[in-house]
Structures are given as C-alpha cells and as structure tokens.
Amino acid sequence: MSDISFVRTEMLPEKEPPASTVGFIGWAKANLFSSVLNSVLTILSIVLVLFVLSGVLPWAFQSVWNASSLTECREILKATYGEHHEGACWAVINDRWVQLVFGFYPPYPIDPTMYLGNPPEGAWPAYFRPIATFVLILAAVAPVLFDKLPRKMLIITAIFPFAMPWLMWGGTVWFPVAAALGFAIGYFAFKYLADIVGELAGLIIAVVLPVIWWLFLMGPFADLMQSIIALDIPVVESRKFGGFTVSIFIGVVAIVGSLPIGIVLALGRQSDLLIVKALCVGFIEFIRGVPLITLLFVASTLLNIFLPPGTEFDIILRVLIMVTLFASAYMAEVIRGGLAALPRGQYEGADSLGLNYWQAQRLIIMPQALKISIPGIVSNFIGIFKDTTLVSIIAILDPLGLTNGIRADAAWNGIYWELFAFIAIVFFVFCFSMSRYSMYLERKLKTSH
Amino acid sequence: MSELATERQIDRSKMHVGSDVAIQINNMNKWYGAFHVLRDINLTVNEGERIVIAGPSGSGKSTLIRCINRLEEHQQGDIIVDGTELTSDLKNIDKVRREVGMCFQHFNLFPHLTILENCTLAPIWVRKVPRKEAEETAMHFLEKVKIPDQALKYPGQLSGGQQQRVAIARSLCMKPRIMLFDEPTSALDPEMIKEVLDTMIELAEEGMTMICVTHEMGFARQVANRVIFMDQGQIVEQNEPEEFFNNPKSERTQLFLSQILGH
Amino acid sequence: MTVMTDPPKESFRLSMLIYDTRYRAITIQVVALLGFAAFFGWLIWNTSNNLAALGKEPSFRFLWEPAGYDINQRLLDYNSQSPHIRAAFIGVLNTLVIAVLGCITATVIGVLVGVLRLSKNWVVSRLMAVYVEMFRNVPVLLWIVLAMAIMIEIPPGPREFRGDNATASVSLFGTVAVTNRGIYVPDPKFDGGLGDLPVGASSTDAACAAYYDGSEGLVDINPACGTFQISLDFLAIVALLAGTLYISRRIKQRADDIQEKTGDRPTTWYIRLAVVVVPMVILLYLLGLYFTVPELKGFNFKDGLHLRNSLIALWLALSLYTAAFIAEIVRAGILAISKGQTEAASALGLSAGRTMSLVVLPQALRVIIPPLISNYLNLTKNSSLAIAVGYMDLTGTLMGVTLNQTGRELETVLLGMLIYLSISLTISMAMNWYNESIKLQER
C-alpha cells in the first residue's frame, strides 16, 4: 500500500512571478498585444492618437494670444513660426472673453458706497453683480450637495431664489421681498388655518392666498415700500444678458424652478386619483414628446399671445418660463424614480403613526426620495445646461450666439475653431466635473443602503 | 420553534382582562379583487387582552390586523376600535391610528432620521407635543427597551433586534391603548428573537392590549390569554392557550400544530 | 325579540366632501379639473383677445396657399408653387430621413464603441472613454455647428477640381467628390425602370395643370401626376427584399427544427445569403441599374447625387453625439450580465460565440433596448436643431419659413408640436410594446 499521507515540514518561500507577467513589458503583453487583433487595434489607436495630436498640439500651442484682429494674428504667426504654420489665434478669446462670459452686461452697475446711480468708472471690481450671482449660486448649492457643511448655510439656499433674479435684473429690493412674502403668507395661512378648517381646505387656501397676493397685491406693495424706503439698484435689461452668464442663469433658474413643479407632477403621476394622474401624465408626456426648440418658439412667438393683453414679458423671462416647464417634466420623471425606489413599508410606517398624507410626504417620503434622486437631478442639470445653447436659435446671445456676432466684426471675420474650442472646453469642464460628482454620489448611495 | 420564549417568571399582577371592549369586529369581509381574503370575521377584544393570531401563510392573519388601523380597507361589516368606527371618514381613521400602535415584520423605521427623531416625529406632528417633552418621553421608552445609548444613531447602524425594539418604542411614544404586532420576529436571527419577545412580554406585564400575529408558540402559551387560529381567511378556532395547544378541536388546527410543534 | 333595524342612514354632510375618503377623492379631482379648465380657459380667452387685437383669425387655410420658397433637399416633387402643407410634409420626411439615418449610424458606432470600451486593451478602452466623455459633455448644437463649419471650411471648392493643375481630385476612383458645397456620390438610375405610381387626388389633367402652373424648371412632370409620385422601382426592391428576408428566416427556422429533431444543425448561412442576394442582383439587372458619376460642369458638379453640407453635418454630429450615449448603454448592459453567467455557459461547454449569442446577448438586450429606444427618441427630437444649419426639416419648413412668411405663429407652432408629439408617441409605443413582450417572456 503506497503511502498517501504527507506532512509538510518546511514552508515554501514566496517567489517572484515569471518576468513576462510583471512590469511594463508584462503589462503591455497582457493588455496591448495579447492577440493579433489586439495588437492591430493598439497600433491603429496609437497611430490615430499621434496623428490627431500632431495636428492639434502645434495648432493649439504655437499660437498667438495677443492681437486685435485676425489679420494681425496671421501676420504674427507668419513672422514667428514661418510661412506655412497653421496656428490658433487665441487672441480672439483674449479680446472678447469678457463678452463671452458676461455678454453685454454693463460692467459697473453698482458702486461700493451704495450710491444708487451710475458710479464712476473703475470704482469697484467690474461685473460685481453677475460675479456675486455666481458666488451666491455656489454658496446656495454647496450645503445641498455636501452634507458635511454647516446646516445654517441652507439659509442662503432659501434666500437665493429671490436674491438671484434681483441681482441680475436689478430694480427695487422690495420686489423680491414681496415675492418671498407670498410664500410666508402661504406658510402661515396653512399653519394657522389647517387646524381650524382642516388640512385640505387649509392647503387650498394656502395656495390661493399667495397666488392672489402675487397677482394683485405684490406690485402695489413693492411700489409702496419703495416710495417709503427707496432701496434699489440700477435695472439691467435682459437683452444685455449674454455669454456664459445667460447659460448658467437659465440653467440654474430652470433646475431650481423645476424642482417644486417636478415634485408636484411626480406625486400627481403616482396618485390614485385618475383625473389628477391623467393631467400630470398628459403634461409630462407632452413636454417630453416635443423638442425643446419648439418650446423656445412658443417662448419667442406665442407666450405673449397666451398672456393677458398688455403683459410684456421680456424674452429672457419667457425663455426662463418655457425652459423651467421643460425641465420640470424631466425632473418629475427623476423624482418618480426616487419615489418608486422607496419600500412600501415607509408609507405604512408613516400611516400607522397617524401622519396624514402631506406630513408623510414632507417628513418621511420626500427627504428620502429626493436624496436618492440627486444623481438624476445632477444629470438633468447637465442636460439643461447643455440645452441652453439652443437659445442662440431664437437670437439670445449665449456663447454660441455670440460667435456669430464676433465673426460679424470685421476684425475677427472668418474665425471659427478657436471660438468653438473655447466654448466646448468650458462646457466640457462644467459638465464633466458635474457628471463625476453625480457618479461619486451614486457610489456613495449604493454603499450607504 | 422554541417552546419557551423566556425562562423568567412572568409577573401577572397587572395582566387582567377588563370588561371594556377595545376592538369590536362584526361580520367583516374583505376582497382583493375577486379573491375573498377575509370571510365573515367576528371578534371582540376586551381591554387588557393579549391575543395571538396563528395560522399558515396566506391565511389572512396579517390582513386582519392591518384592517384594524386601516392600512387595508374592509368592504363589508364594521370595525369599531376604542369606540370609533372605522369608515371612510378620515377623522376617524386618524383618531384610531393615534390610539393604535403597530410594529411591522420589517420594522419600517425611517432610515433618514436618528432613533430619537424616529421616536419623537409622530408625537410632535400628530399629538402636537412640545419637542422637549417628546424627547423625554422617547428617552423613557428607549430606556425601557434597553437602548437609550443608541438614541443618536441611525437605524442602519443597529442590529435587527435593536431596530425592532426601536420600532416598539416608537409606537409606545404615541401612548397607544392598543398595540398590533405583525410577525415582529420573523425577519430576525434566532438570538435576536429573544430580546424582542422579552420586550413584548414586559409590555404585556403592564397590561397593554395586544394583538400579535406570530409563529412563536412559546410566547403564545406564556403570555396570551387567547389564541386564534385562522385559515383561508376565516377564524377556525379560538381558545385559551392551554386548551388550544393541548386539546385542539378542529382537524385543521391539529394538523397545523403538529407541523409547527412536531419537530 | 329584537327586530333588526337598518342602521340609520348616514345623511350627507358637507364636511364629508373633505373628510370622507370616498368623496375626498372626487373633491380633489373636481378641484383639479376646475383649476385646469379655468387656467386653460384663461389662456384661450387671452389668446382670442390678443389675436382679435392683432386682427388675426385662427385658421389653417394658409396651408393650401403657395409656399413661395424652395426646399433643396427633398424626397418628393416640390416647387415654390406647392402649398405650405406640402412643404411641411417634405419637412416631415426630411426629419424622418435624418432620424432614420442617424439612428442607424449611431447604433453601429455606439455598439462598436461600447464593446471596445470594455476591451482589456488599455489604449483602446481609454481612447473610447475619451470619445464618449468628449461628446457627452459638450452641447449637441455646438457639434452640429462645428460639423457644418468643417464641411464648409475644410474641403476644396468646386473650382479647385478644374483645370490641368487642379489642387483637388475626385476620390474613390473618381466617384465621390467632396467639396465645400456638399458631397457628390454616384446616383443610381434605372434604364428599364417601372416608372412612378401617382398617389393622391389630383390626377385629372386639369388639376395637374393647375397644380404645376408656373412650375418652370421642373423637367420631369409625369403626365399622370398625383399628389405624390412613388417610384415603382423602389417599391419593387423593397418588396423583393422583404420577401427574400422572409424566406431566409424560414430556412433558419427549418434549421432549428432539424436541430431539434436530430441534434445536428445543418449549415445554412450560404443558402440564406444566396436567397437574399441572387434575386436582388437579378432584379437590379432587369431594371437596368446604372450609376451616374459626379462630373464638374461649369461651376458645379452635376449628375451625381448631391448630399448637401447641412444634411452631412447634421447626420454626422447627431450620430456621433448619440453614439456616445448608446456606447454607455451598451457597456452598462453588458456589464449588467454577471460574470457568473458567462462562466456558467463556459462550464457547460458552450463556445465563446454561442455563449455570446445564446446567454449574454439575450439578457443584455433586455437591459439595453429600452434606453436605446429613448435615445432614438432624443435623436429624433434633436434633429429639430437642423434649423441651425439650414437643413429643411419640419422645424425649418413649417416652423421656420412658413411661419415667417405667413405670420401664423399660433397655427404653425402648434401644428409642428403636434407632429413631433405624434412621432414621439409612436416611438414610445414601440418601446412599451417591447417592454410588454419582454414581461410576457419572463413569466
């Protein structure tokens, strides 16, 4: 009988793997040249990359940054790099970059001493108001996106929907205050009336009262307050809005505005009430079924026809309304996904404790559903932000619209690639970083559940 | 199945059945579409009663107790809870839900709120109790279920047994007169079942009216004053636990008991 | 003995409208409906007031007036005397052309890129990642405008093809001319063609004459003119293709049957190929197919099929942009099939190809197809950006030139939206139908 018992007396030492599987060569062999097809693909890709880079890099880097016109630019290129060099003329960005960022927004609308007229030139950092708007957006969004920040920053988030339009358009400060007051009226009406007349009736009153306030009383109130205590900053007309400011402005307003509408639509779509559901589904599917450009046509040609005679909303406001409606339909679908992801038990838990529908939604369902939806909301925002370029078709001077204007100037007639490249890079940086953030969030949500 | 839920002696001094009616169900019927889930249920629960409902899965026992706080709607018959009839009137529904606490198989804690917030939420919003008072009550009940030190954690950080005890505390914070338990231990690991059952026994010792859907026959034998056996949406047999376990009358009950206790 | 009396009938109280779950639902719905009706009525009331003030009566009669503008890229007969409605129809067809072309190329590129992104080859997968991120994160309108600029600025003008020392030449053996005015490719023509089939009402001579009145330059007026002319050659080719594809499918089914009965699978791919190809070749021969190659005559190329810059730019940009999204869908779909599935299939001894076709693909397609169709929908909607490069699709015709010429904002924009909506709903319905059919299979 052969001896099958075996006992190891000495442990084997760890050995290096064979040289062909480690190091760069091993890696390259395993990853790049593992088969004929793979090798061909690798070589083709490398050739392609080299070809593109050899074309783009000299163009992008052997270029001109300071010139006042395309002809001057070409001359400098000729003088520096020789007769046949094709170089980029980034000077156009240098020359027009203020316009690409701020459009025709007046540079000095506000003065440090709060003197409320047109200030002396050079008195204050230029473009204070749009820059303050950007800072405000960041400060308002940060506490929503990063939960490590102090919760008190949410106050900025609450103020910002009213402060932002005021900073951009100007006018009396009493107007946004009066608008905010409408929400306060609704809140207090609900708080004190709900116990007396019941939840549903309280809610209806809490919706109707602010609407009456906004439609009929807000204007006179703001005028009255303005006549008592005049607090205003110079008005800037919307046709002066332009460049990336207008893209960001439209994108942010659309997302902020679409959030409440989207929540209502999503709840309506989830509801058991047939008519409510049909109305919400109808709205959502209609908006999602037509291209954004048709809605922009509505904004540019039809919206003033739909409104009471004499209402003259300016074009930016009309575009804001339509883009917000557009975004809300998509937002509703994102939030509906978040609602569907919540287990039924959460509704039952809330019901069994005696919370009513709105309390359950506000305290239990929405906080969780919105948290799950944040990645979707961010992707929505990326989509809307990219789609703001469409406004150039209805003659709003977003960056893409400005390129035509810049080319129309004799000095820069015939310049294409540098402008497109600059706009593309800016959009890429914004959208790419946001999409990375939303991926990070998705991973975080996956691990925390 | 463990025969005995706990080794300790049960203090029966406060466990007595009162004469007031807590829940009255008359000829109640319920259908899911064409499927007749609950057939002609008649049940009277007096104050202080501890009722265990047993039966095979799909027999309608969960549906029955979910009807008692109208998580499910019944189509025929009356349910009167604590003097309030459950109709389609929202005020009545809210009133009943305030007086009836419920624990679920999967706890249904709110994962975005801390344990303490889970417990204070309903008192603050439904009973309009000041926050401070609500927190004191919550801490009192959390101590009672022996997890006051977890109060600031989130449900996801707790074990299943701890979560179920929080769920019990959360219901108790509403100071309910009746507690419903819907298979509170069936999603738990064996070693956690005991801690939850202990909490439930303590509750029974204080004289709480309880209706409990469970497979824990040891608990039924020790704590219940009545065991109800349901099958195919009907109450097949009900009796005192001793009689029910030792001398089941119906064939269906005998079969069920032999299956559940036989091994 | 007590007499059972009916419980007192609960009388209806007003508060029940709010507190009784039965009535509450009705109350809320009535309030919602009233609110909606009031809002809608308010809009209509405003609109009619505003239109009255402008002196415009809403009417679609303008659709039958002569359009007075030209559409250079079209599938059907059209001239500037044709009515607006025909222009709109040509626009719809152009929208569909760009949508179909775009969906096909986007799918091909997207699937290829998605698969390559999963390749173990580091260089290739990185390169594909760069492509996807680059296109996804830059607005599609920018890509369209950029593609248009490339089409106009980079290729040589027709002039440069001329003379002995021409700087540009017609590529691909003298068949394809890439110029800054568009791409000219060989145009298929039929020697012994079957002619056209007139469809539609106005086929009497008088109506024809009236219809084409003032149609200078339109050479080939068919004497039996109808509202539309559909090429019989085209119909014949489509019919033959459908027929042969059906036969080919039957052959495959037969092969399946044989495999089920005997266990052996007959090799059929060459028969199936022949069944499709041979009759097609014969038909094309009978029809007398020949190609006219583009030739430089005067200042421009003639005789070839002229693909205009706007079409090419739109097609290219939409395909590449949508392909980036499709690539991500394909990648996610393949990744969603767990490694365990492939390993299980390999462990059963299935070959790599069979593993792919029998195990991985059927499961992956389930994940891939719904978002794929919604991307087709996006592409179709994005095709409305054609207006930025002057491609005459529905937006360019009805909601562009027609709107400007007639001043009928309300009618044109609403009609245009309605048409887009019905296209979208058709695609959505296809998706729902597919989802339903998957659900059935899962049972």
Side-chain angles (χ1 to χ4, degrees):
Chain A
M1 194 172 152
S2 64
D3 186 10
I4 55 162
S5 86
F6 166 79
V7 176
R8 183 176 286 289
T9 51
E10 221 175 308
M11 301 312 278
L12 293 175
E14 201 172 281
K15 278 191 216 156
E16 290 285 312
S20 61
T21 61
V22 290
F24 177 73
I25 296 179
W27 175 83
K29 215 169 175 180
N31 285 305
L32 304 183
F33 302 100
S34 56
S35 67
V36 179
L37 179 69
N38 231 342
S39 312
V40 171
L41 275 177
T42 308
I43 291 166
L44 275 181
S45 322
I46 292 176
V47 168
L48 177 72
V49 170
L50 288 181
F51 174 74
V52 170
L53 289 185
S54 70
V56 169
L57 288 184
W59 175 79
F61 288 101
Q62 300 186 330
S63 53
V64 178
W65 278 93
N66 288 305
S68 59
S69 74
L70 192 58
T71 5
E72 190 191 337
C73 208
R74 293 214 170 115
E75 273 160 23
I76 299 175
L77 275 176
K78 214 177 274 177
T80 326
Y81 302 107
E83 191 68 28
H84 296 293
H85 178 75
E86 293 265 348
C89 186
W90 299 116
V92 66
I93 310 296
N94 205 354
D95 191 42
R96 293 300 182 97
W97 99 277
V98 162
Q99 204 178 59
L100 282 168
V101 175
F102 299 112
F104 297 96
Y105 205 91
Y108 301 106
I110 190 169
D111 151 334
T113 58
M114 287 305 283
Y115 164 73
L116 302 170
N118 279 332
E121 287 224 0
W124 184 259
Y127 300 106
F128 169 78
R129 274 163 55 175
I131 290 173
T133 308
F134 293 146
V135 173
L136 189 68
I137 292 172
L138 291 180
V141 166
V144 178
L145 296 186
F146 302 97
D147 30 334
K148 291 212 176 73
L149 290 167
R151 295 293 89 192
K152 289 225 170 102
M153 279 181 80
L154 285 171
I155 296 172
I156 306 177
T157 315
I159 294 174
F160 135 92
F162 307 101
M164 186 173 73
W166 177 65
L167 270 175
M168 289 298 290
W169 271 305
T172 168
V173 74
W174 295 110
F175 201 73
V177 169
L181 218 54
F183 286 97
I185 291 172
Y187 174 76
F188 284 111
F190 184 73
K191 194 173 173 187
Y192 293 113
L193 291 179
D195 289 340
I196 304 168
V197 297
E199 289 279 342
L200 188 67
L203 189 77
I204 294 174
I205 295 174
V207 172
V208 171
L209 275 187
V211 169
I212 294 174
W213 167 259
W214 284 320
L215 286 182
F216 304 110
L217 300 171
M218 182 172 87
F221 171 79
D223 292 342
L224 180 72
M225 291 306 290
Q226 173 68 14
S227 65
I228 299 170
I229 313 167
L231 275 179
D232 64 339
I233 53 176
V235 174
V236 177
E237 290 164 55
S238 332
R239 63 187 164 82
K240 295 196 170 154
F241 288 23
F244 284 106
T245 307
V246 91
S247 308
I248 294 173
F249 187 59
I250 295 176
V252 169
V253 169
I255 284 298
V256 172
S258 68
L259 209 53
I261 306 177
I263 289 175
V264 172
L265 286 174
L267 287 178
R269 194 169 187 169
Q270 293 284 74
S271 133
D272 303 326
L273 309 170
L274 274 182
I275 295 178
V276 174
K277 187 175 176 173
L279 289 177
C280 291
V281 170
F283 178 83
I284 294 173
E285 292 305 325
F286 174 74
I287 297 278
R288 280 158 44 93
V290 297
L292 176 57
I293 186 69
T294 60
L295 294 175
L296 292 178
F297 280 144
V298 171
S300 72
T301 62
L302 291 186
L303 207 53
N304 272 341
I305 297 184
F306 290 155
L307 294 172
T311 338
E312 275 299 319
F313 282 180
D314 71 39
I315 180 71
I316 295 269
L317 186 58
R318 281 180 274 152
V319 165
L320 283 176
I321 293 172
M322 292 319 286
V323 177
T324 304
L325 290 182
F326 177 76
S328 352
Y330 289 82
M331 188 65 84
E333 288 301 279
V334 168
I335 293 171
R336 186 166 75 112
L339 286 174
L342 279 193
R344 262 213 75 66
Q346 292 294 312
Y347 293 87
E348 287 177 355
D351 278 352
S352 75
L353 288 173
L355 297 175
N356 65 36
Y357 177 82
W358 292 106
Q359 285 173 336
Q361 290 297 343
R362 187 157 49 94
L363 300 168
I364 310 296
I365 307 302
M366 272 303 149
Q368 297 184 62
L370 286 181
K371 198 172 175 190
I372 303 174
S373 317
I374 289 181
I377 295 174
V378 174
S379 334
N380 248 352
F381 180 69
I382 297 175
I384 293 293
F385 185 53
K386 284 190 296 177
D387 281 345
T388 56
T389 49
L390 266 62
V391 299
S392 63
I393 293 177
I394 54 166
I396 290 177
L397 295 175
D398 84 314
L400 214 52
L402 278 170
T403 58
N404 292 325
I406 293 173
R407 262 199 301 281
D409 182 347
W412 297 110
N413 194 356
I415 196 146
Y416 284 99
W417 321 117
E418 292 82 354
L419 287 172
F420 287 149
F422 174 72
I423 296 168
I425 288 169
V426 174
F427 269 106
F428 182 84
V429 169
F430 270 101
C431 298
F432 185 70
S433 45
M434 282 190 283
S435 76
R436 287 288 124 156
Y437 170 77
S438 112
M439 278 161 78
Y440 149 82
L441 259 191
E442 238 164 305
R443 270 200 304 276
K444 209 171 92 177
L445 278 177
K446 238 180 228 163
T447 50
S448 72
H449 271 270
Chain B
M1 279 299 146
S2 59
E3 265 289 284
L4 281 177
T6 179
E7 287 82 33
R8 80 186 161 87
Q9 208 55 49
I10 294 176
D11 171 17
R12 294 184 182 270
S13 60
K14 286 185 205 157
M15 290 167 71
H16 49 75
V17 178
S19 54
D20 294 347
V21 175
I23 301 171
Q24 174 82 47
I25 302 178
N26 297 327
N27 305 326
M28 190 261 278
N29 280 287
K30 175 170 174 58
W31 290 263
Y32 282 134
F35 177 53
H36 201 167
V37 243
L38 290 177
R39 305 181 196 181
D40 216 15
I41 304 286
N42 280 294
L43 180 66
T44 309
V45 180
N46 281 356
E47 210 148 294
E49 274 206 275
R50 304 159 304 279
I51 294 178
V52 164
I53 304 179
S57 61
S59 59
K61 48 195 196 310
S62 281
T63 314
L64 172 58
I65 73 164
R66 288 158 63 88
C67 280
I68 296 176
N69 68 351
R70 208 165 168 104
L71 287 180
E72 307 273 357
E73 205 172 302
H74 63 280
Q75 282 109 6
Q76 262 179 21
D78 319 316
I79 303 179
I80 300 156
V81 181
D82 209 29
T84 312
E85 190 185 348
L86 276 174
T87 56
S88 49
D89 190 330
L90 275 178
K91 278 184 177 163
N92 287 357
I93 297 174
D94 284 345
K95 205 162 160 192
V96 166
R97 283 180 180 164
R98 256 176 279 171
E99 302 306 327
V100 178
M102 179 150 188
C103 291
F104 299 87
Q105 183 177 2
H106 296 288
F107 334 132
N108 295 354
L109 293 178
F110 305 131
H112 63 301
L113 302 175
T114 62
I115 301 304
L116 189 63
E117 285 166 341
N118 262 286
C119 292
T120 55
L121 183 91
I124 291 176
W125 289 97
V126 180
R127 283 220 189 273
K128 319 271 185 208
V129 176
R131 173 175 294 275
K132 193 138 198 280
E133 201 184 314
E135 281 178 359
E136 277 162 19
T137 319
M139 284 315 288
H140 168 74
F141 284 111
L142 285 175
E143 259 158 46
K144 202 163 162 169
V145 301
K146 301 188 185 67
I147 32 179
D149 45 331
Q150 315 279 9
L152 297 179
K153 287 191 181 167
Y154 285 90
Q157 297 165 296
L158 268 56
S159 73
Q162 288 173 323
Q163 288 194 40
Q164 191 59 288
R165 282 185 283 152
V166 172
I168 296 174
R170 179 177 76 175
S171 302
L172 292 178
C173 286
M174 284 291 282
K175 310 257 175 75
R177 298 162 61 96
I178 300 162
M179 282 289 290
L180 307 174
F181 293 89
D182 187 2
E183 307 205 17
T185 53
S186 38
L188 296 177
D189 292 339
E191 67 266 29
M192 292 174 183
I193 293 180
K194 191 177 160 299
E195 59 187 53
V196 171
L197 288 181
D198 277 344
T199 310
M200 288 165 66
I201 289 169
E202 271 172 43
L203 210 56
E205 284 173 340
E206 286 164 15
M208 175 68 79
T209 314
M210 293 164 71
I211 301 183
C212 191
V213 171
T214 184
H215 296 298
E216 298 295 328
M217 290 305 137
F219 174 82
R221 203 177 271 245
Q222 282 185 309
V223 180
N225 67 320
R226 183 151 43 129
V227 181
I228 294 175
F229 177 70
M230 284 184 71
D231 192 23
Q232 295 175 3
Q234 303 155 64
I235 294 178
V236 175
E237 187 167 348
Q238 52 174 318
N239 215 329
E240 288 179 359
E242 279 308 306
E243 198 55 21
F244 178 86
F245 286 111
N246 298 338
N247 195 7
K249 308 279 186 306
S250 119
E251 236 171 79
R252 192 65 199 80
T253 319
Q254 289 162 5
L255 183 67
F256 176 75
L257 284 177
S258 72
Q259 278 170 346
I260 201 166
L261 300 174
H263 46 86
Chain C
M1 209 175 123
T2 52
V3 181
M4 279 291 281
T5 48
D6 281 335
K9 267 264 187 275
E10 214 183 340
S11 58
F12 179 79
R13 279 167 290 115
L14 212 57
S15 70
M16 285 172 78
L17 281 180
I18 292 177
Y19 291 114
D20 193 296
T21 44
R22 287 165 298 176
Y23 300 113
R24 184 189 173 89
I26 299 173
T27 314
I28 297 176
Q29 301 198 62
V30 167
V31 168
L33 197 63
L34 284 180
F36 176 74
F39 178 72
F40 213 72
W42 181 69
L43 288 185
I44 292 176
W45 191 70
N46 287 336
T47 309
S48 63
N49 276 358
N50 282 321
L51 287 183
L54 290 171
K56 287 184 193 172
E57 186 107 342
S59 140
F60 284 96
R61 213 165 298 139
F62 71 94
L63 284 174
W64 280 268
E65 287 161 13
Y69 61 92
D70 215 0
I71 300 175
N72 50 31
Q73 192 97 50
R74 58 179 184 247
L75 288 182
L76 295 175
D77 275 345
Y78 173 87
N79 64 44
S80 58
Q81 290 304 304
S82 306
H84 283 293
I85 191 164
R86 195 179 176 93
F89 186 72
I90 304 274
V92 173
L93 285 183
N94 279 348
T95 294
L96 293 178
V97 164
I98 200 75
V100 170
L101 285 178
C103 287
I104 293 170
T105 38
T107 311
V108 172
I109 302 172
V111 169
L112 198 69
V113 172
V115 171
L116 285 180
R117 252 202 102 170
L118 287 172
S119 143
K120 286 197 192 93
N121 188 319
W122 187 83
V123 176
V124 172
S125 68
R126 284 294 93 185
L127 195 64
M128 294 305 140
V130 168
Y131 160 77
V132 168
E133 295 298 350
M134 200 167 84
F135 273 87
R136 277 206 313 179
N137 290 307
V138 172
V140 61
L141 184 59
L142 186 60
W143 287 121
I144 293 173
V145 179
L146 183 68
M148 189 65 182
I150 291 175
M151 293 304 298
I152 293 175
E153 293 291 311
I154 306 276
R159 195 186 312 154
E160 291 171 54
F161 288 83
R162 203 188 339 214
D164 294 329
N165 51 357
T167 47
S169 63
V170 182
S171 42
L172 285 179
F173 311 108
T175 55
V176 178
V178 181
T179 76
N180 62 3
R181 293 190 190 177
I183 297 177
Y184 296 82
V185 295
D187 191 8
K189 300 249 158 132
F190 298 101
D191 226 354
L194 302 171
D196 291 340
L197 178 70
V199 180
S202 58
S203 54
T204 60
D205 283 338
C208 267
Y211 178 70
Y212 284 114
D213 192 26
S215 66
E216 50 207 286
L218 195 79
V219 193
D220 51 349
I221 298 178
N222 195 312
C225 70
T227 310
F228 305 117
Q229 312 275 338
I230 294 180
S231 158
L232 285 173
D233 306 320
F234 178 70
L235 281 186
I237 291 172
V238 169
L240 184 74
L241 198 64
T244 51
L245 281 178
Y246 175 72
I247 294 172
S248 154
R249 225 181 118 104
R250 288 305 299 269
I251 295 175
K252 177 176 171 281
Q253 279 168 0
R254 219 179 100 78
D256 289 344
D257 286 348
I258 293 175
Q259 185 184 19
E260 253 164 47
K261 280 195 195 108
T262 66
D264 273 330
R265 189 181 180 85
T267 323
T268 53
W269 66 266
Y270 52 86
I271 306 178
R272 292 178 61 194
L273 192 67
V275 162
V276 177
V277 172
V278 173
M280 186 58 69
V281 170
I282 295 172
L283 176 73
L284 292 179
Y285 175 77
L286 288 179
L287 288 176
L289 175 77
Y290 69 99
F291 288 93
T292 55
V293 286
E295 254 177 276
L296 191 64
K297 281 179 190 160
F299 294 108
N300 243 327
F301 279 90
K302 288 270 160 64
D303 286 347
L305 195 61
H306 184 187
L307 303 174
R308 285 173 196 271
N309 281 334
S310 51
L311 173 74
I312 305 268
L314 195 63
W315 181 18
L316 206 68
L318 284 178
S319 315
L320 288 174
Y321 181 79
T322 312
F325 288 87
I326 293 179
E328 283 300 277
I329 291 166
V330 169
R331 187 174 82 113
I334 296 177
L335 282 179
I337 306 311
S338 67
K339 218 174 144 204
Q341 292 288 317
T342 335
E343 282 172 356
S346 312
L348 288 171
L350 288 175
S351 70
R354 290 266 178 239
T355 302
M356 199 56 164
S357 68
L358 295 177
V359 178
V360 177
L361 274 187
Q363 298 185 57
L365 281 184
R366 234 169 240 210
V367 187
I368 290 172
I369 287 188
L372 186 70
I373 296 179
S374 90
N375 263 294
Y376 289 163
L377 197 62
N378 286 344
L379 189 144
T380 311
K381 287 189 286 174
N382 281 336
S383 74
S384 59
L385 299 181
I387 197 170
V389 289
Y391 176 75
M392 295 300 263
D393 74 333
L394 177 59
T395 325
T397 54
L398 181 66
M399 300 163 87
V401 189
T402 296
L403 188 156
N404 286 335
Q405 289 192 355
T406 61
R408 296 266 171 197
E409 304 97 353
L410 188 71
E411 295 87 340
T412 50
V413 172
L414 288 188
L415 186 62
M417 287 173 108
L418 209 65
I419 295 173
Y420 273 116
L421 192 64
S422 37
I423 296 176
S424 300
L425 288 182
T426 313
I427 299 177
S428 302
M429 253 151 61
M431 179 155 75
N432 288 344
W433 170 80
Y434 176 81
N435 285 344
E436 285 301 311
S437 72
I438 282 183
K439 254 187 219 153
L440 282 179
Q441 285 165 16
E442 268 169 359
R443 258 192 247 146

